[in-house]
Amino acid sequence: MTTTTARDTIMARRSVRAYEAKKLDKASIQRLLNYAVRAPTAMHQEPCVFVVIQNQSLLEEILNLAKPMFEKSLHAPGHTRVHTSHDFSDPNFSIFYGADTLIVILAKLTGSFVEADCWLAAENLMITATEMGLGSCVIGSALMALNTPEIKAKLTIPTDYSAVAPIIIGFPDGVTAATSRNEPMVLSWIV
Ligand SMILES: Cc1cc2nc3c(=O)[nH]c(=O)nc-3n(C[C@H](O)[C@H](O)[C@H](O)COP(=O)(O)O)c2cc1C
């Protein structure tokens, strides 16, 4: 019997950008959320809430708004040049890569650590997805669209909540190669 350790799962996680057209069941999503909320939160405030979107026409609506918004932001004056291999003006490019489920982690941004809390929950969720044989990818390019009043209204998100971490989840179509990492750069190690 082989045992998978947390370290194995961390190393196996990939940003998956190709998905099978297969619906993710409710129990699996509930499991992901149960592990997401096990992440630490500052002062044990537990500020994170979730929106799960499995409605394909709504996903398309978000996509159609997000693509031009994100593309425009890339060309905004003062924006640091970022490399993206995706053509956001291509009508065939989906920022959701065909995934059937988008999970958005949100919070009321009331304290300095709230966004950190959401991202820690996001990593727990993605590691759990990996362990379950599911693929995931953070979709930062959807964030601006998710925080527009029109999409918030459609998703019944109260105005005082903000989307922080949008993550697609689904069944991977094929194998995703690992990306490289720099060696950890230790600025100082004082003993
Ligand atoms: C905050 C954040 C935003 C991201 N936004 C996107 C995105 O919009 N689209 C995308 O394809 N990948 C996105 N990614 C995934 C990164 O591109 C990916 O993590 C990186 O290339 C390393 O690959 P790996 O996750 O497979 O190791 C995002 C990751 C983070 C942490």
Side-chain angles (χ1 to χ4, degrees), residues 63-74:
L63 158 78
N64 289 336
L65 184 64
K67 278 171 67 178
M69 274 185 100
F70 185 69
E71 197 191 14
K72 200 171 162 203
S73 77
L74 292 177

Side-chain angles (χ1 to χ4, degrees), residues 43-69:
M43 293 171 286
H44 201 168
Q45 289 290 294
E46 302 187 67
C48 307
V49 297
F50 304 88
V51 165
V52 180
I53 309 161
Q54 293 190 292
N55 179 302
Q56 300 313 303
S57 58
L58 190 49
L59 281 178
E60 197 159 323
E61 207 173 315
I62 297 167
L63 158 78
N64 289 336
L65 184 64
K67 278 171 67 178
M69 274 185 100

Side-chain angles (χ1 to χ4, degrees), residues 45-50 105-118 147 152 157-164:
Q45 289 290 294
E46 302 187 67
C48 307
V49 297
F50 304 88
I105 308 180
L106 313 94
K108 290 184 192 176
L109 301 183
T110 49
S112 346
F113 296 116
V114 172
E115 289 192 61
D117 295 336
C118 292
N147 278 313
K152 280 172 86 169
I157 298 170
T159 51
D160 53 347
Y161 278 84
S162 298
V164 176

